[in-house]
Amino acid sequence: MKSQDEVIRALAQNGQEKLLLQQFFDQYERSQQRNYLTHTRFLDLRERTLCVQAAQQTGAQNHTVFWGGYEQAERVVALCYPDYMTAQQAIEPEQSPFVLLRACKSPTDTLSHRDYLGALMGLGIERAVLGDIVLHEDGADLLVLEQMAEFICMNFLRAGRKRITLERLPLTELRLPQIQETVGEGSVASLRLDCVAALMFRQSRGQMQQAIEKGLVFVNQMQCMKPDAEVMPGDRITVRGLGRGRLIDCGGISRKGRQFVQYARTV
C-alpha cells in the first residue's frame, strides 16, 4: 500500500484536487481514530474517481462506501465507517448525512433541472452541498447535506420564476429517476471504449478519443482516460456534454470482423 502523501502527489493534478484528497483522508482518519461515521461533501464524477482510487491505493476502501441516495446517483458522498459497521449499515437512511427535500410545483408549470439548480445557486450556496436533483411530475426531489437543509427550506421559494413549496421527507420516499431511453444498434471494430462510445453518441472515433483523453468520459461512474479500455454488456458510459448510455448486448461478428452491438441512450 502507498502512503497518503504518495497517493496525493500521484493523483492530484492541481491544488483543488490536492485539497479534496486531503479532506477525504482527514475524514477517513477521523472515522478510524474516533470510531464513528464521517463523510465528505458531495462529489462529482471526477472527484469520486479520485477518492475511489485514493481509497484503493491506501487500503481505505475497506472502510469507505460512496453513496448518493440510490444506486445510480451521479453525485455521491464518501462515507467512512468504523470497524463495528458494515458498508450496508453505513448507507442506511438513519445514518445519512444528507436529507430529502421535495420541491412541489404547480401542475401547469414546466421546470427543468437547470431551473432548479440555477435557483439554488442563486441563493449563494456551493454546489458541493447538493446531490442529485431528481425530476418528477410533481416537481423535483433534492438531496442536500443536513447542515444546509434549513437554509434551503427558508429561502428556496422559486425556480425558473415559478413558485414552489418545499417539504422535508424521509429518504425512503425518494422518487427514483424515470429514465427514458432510445435503443440503437450497429457494429464496431472492437469493444474498445472509443469505438463503442463513438457509435453510441454518434461521434467519430477521433472525437471520442479526444474526449476520453480530456477526462470527459466515465464508465460505471468512474473516469476512464484509456481509449482502448474494454467495455462489456451492462457497462454504463457517460460523456460530459453528450449524455449517458449503456451497452446492452453483443451480437455476432460480421464478415469483415466487426462486432455487432446493441445499446441504449438516455433521452
Side-chain angles (χ1 to χ4, degrees):
M1 294 295 177
K2 297 180 180 179
S3 71
Q4 294 178 4
D5 287 341
E6 288 175 329
V7 169
I8 291 173
R9 286 196 297 269
L11 295 179
Q13 296 183 2
N14 52 51
Q16 191 172 13
E17 291 183 352
K18 180 179 178 181
L19 179 60
L20 166 70
L21 292 176
Q22 288 173 333
Q23 292 173 339
F24 166 69
F25 284 129
D26 285 345
Q27 294 299 330
Y28 173 74
E29 292 298 334
R30 183 175 293 111
S31 172
Q32 298 307 294
Q33 293 171 6
R34 301 185 183 181
N35 222 31
Y36 60 76
L37 185 69
T38 62
H39 65 90
T40 65
R41 57 179 174 78
F42 277 105
L43 310 171
D44 63 23
L45 291 176
R46 164 64 179 169
E47 294 166 338
R48 174 185 182 153
T49 300
L50 286 172
C51 289
V52 168
Q53 292 174 339
Q56 291 172 340
Q57 294 181 28
T58 59
Q61 82 273 15
N62 295 325
H63 289 89
T64 305
V65 60
F66 295 85
W67 186 243
Y70 61 101
E71 283 295 336
Q72 297 302 323
E74 186 166 296
R75 296 179 64 82
V76 299
V77 298
L79 295 166
C80 303
Y81 54 91
D83 286 334
Y84 65 84
M85 295 183 72
T86 65
Q88 186 58 45
Q89 289 172 332
I91 66 172
E92 291 297 324
E94 59 267 22
Q95 303 285 354
S96 179
F98 52 83
V99 301
L100 168 62
L101 301 180
R102 178 161 295 162
C104 298
K105 64 177 183 63
S106 168
T108 59
D109 291 336
T110 301
L111 292 173
S112 67
H113 184 280
R114 180 176 295 182
D115 290 326
Y116 290 106
L117 181 58
L120 286 163
M121 294 296 94
L123 299 178
I125 62 179
E126 296 182 359
R127 184 67 177 96
V129 307
L130 302 172
D132 282 6
I133 298 173
V134 182
L135 301 182
H136 49 73
E137 60 183 7
D138 298 319
D141 281 5
L142 318 173
L143 294 164
V144 305
L145 290 182
E146 171 74 53
Q147 63 264 32
M148 290 301 301
E150 184 177 355
F151 175 84
I152 292 173
C153 285
M154 292 177 61
N155 294 280
F156 188 35
L157 306 176
R158 291 181 178 275
R161 298 184 179 181
K162 305 295 184 180
R163 181 168 290 278
I164 59 171
T165 59
L166 281 184
E167 58 177 331
R168 179 167 173 166
L169 297 171
L171 280 171
T172 52
E173 294 192 26
L174 173 68
R175 295 191 184 181
L176 297 179
Q178 299 298 310
I179 299 175
Q180 296 182 334
E181 296 179 322
T182 58
V183 176
E185 57 186 21
S187 66
V188 292
S190 73
L191 292 178
R192 287 169 49 120
L193 175 59
D194 56 356
C195 295
V196 174
L199 172 67
M200 189 178 292
F201 296 97
R202 300 178 183 177
Q203 301 285 301
S204 71
R205 187 171 169 184
Q207 288 174 317
M208 195 52 61
Q209 287 176 343
Q210 290 180 359
I212 294 168
E213 291 166 358
K214 289 179 181 179
L216 302 178
V217 180
F218 302 82
V219 179
N220 298 326
Q221 300 172 316
M222 291 286 290
Q223 187 179 52
C224 184
M225 300 183 70
K226 296 180 179 179
D228 62 349
E230 185 177 7
V231 294
M232 302 294 291
D235 284 346
R236 297 177 179 273
I237 301 173
T238 300
V239 182
R240 281 184 175 167
L242 295 179
R244 285 179 272 185
R246 60 187 177 92
L247 183 60
I248 298 175
D249 198 9
C250 299
I253 305 296
S254 73
R255 293 179 180 178
K256 296 184 178 180
R258 292 178 64 85
Q259 173 76 61
F260 290 108
V261 298
Q262 185 181 44
Y263 63 89
R265 277 189 63 182
T266 302
V267 178

